Amino acid sequence: MARIRARGGSEEVTLLVARASDGGYCQIVRSDRTPTNQGCSVARPAARKIGVTAMNFGGGAPDGILLFVGPVGSDIAKLELRYQDGRVANIPLNEGWALYEVETADYVEGRRPEVLIGRDASGREIASEPMPWATPGG
């Protein structure tokens, strides 16, 4: 489904998606260095909802990496990640699924990911999902 080079290009991380027997999806994240992480019963979100979540892949700090993984609703054509310092990163979507690595330098307060923003084909914001660690007011 999607593939990225993580850890400064030293690790290839792949997202695989398959239909589950319950009507949802199985989501498998694997790499050439880190044990596989998988789960089934991942539901496809409603048309204007974001189902992408943060995943500590390969354990917590300092050894693991922070990924954003999962599906977006069918009306979302573009996904952005806004950071605390105002930067905005475009998260590539492949058939409505995202796989994105947050760089280690962005783990510190003041630089952390703050909110996912979903946009429709015209560029209008139609969904937002604040990070669970975000506090009101930033």
Side-chain angles (χ1 to χ4, degrees):
M1 182 63 57
R3 181 173 290 141
I4 60 171
R5 298 294 306 175
R7 300 182 199 262
S10 67
E11 181 174 357
E12 185 174 89
V13 179
T14 304
L15 169 64
L16 303 168
V17 176
R19 278 253 189 231
S21 59
D22 67 359
Y25 293 87
C26 292
Q27 172 180 285
I28 303 161
V29 179
R30 68 177 189 197
S31 87
D32 53 358
R33 283 183 33 183
T34 305
T36 298
N37 180 308
Q38 64 187 39
C40 288
S41 299
V42 176
R44 189 66 173 206
R48 292 176 170 236
K49 296 289 184 183
I50 298 170
V52 175
T53 59
M55 171 192 289
N56 285 318
F57 185 64
D63 299 324
I65 55 177
L66 178 61
L67 300 174
F68 282 99
V69 182
V72 296
S74 59
D75 286 355
I76 297 175
K78 182 178 180 183
L79 187 64
E80 298 172 345
L81 177 60
R82 188 176 63 223
Y83 289 86
Q84 290 173 328
D85 61 6
R87 288 174 296 131
V88 176
N90 291 314
I91 297 182
L93 294 175
N94 186 356
E95 296 182 32
W97 289 80
L99 175 63
Y100 178 82
E101 177 193 17
V102 175
E103 299 293 328
T104 306
D106 293 325
Y107 292 1
V108 297
E109 184 61 39
R111 292 184 55 99
R112 291 184 183 138
E114 187 171 47
V115 63
L116 287 165
I117 299 166
R119 298 189 181 276
D120 65 13
S122 70
R124 187 170 47 105
E125 182 178 324
I126 60 170
S128 67
E129 188 66 37
M131 297 298 97
W133 53 80
T135 58

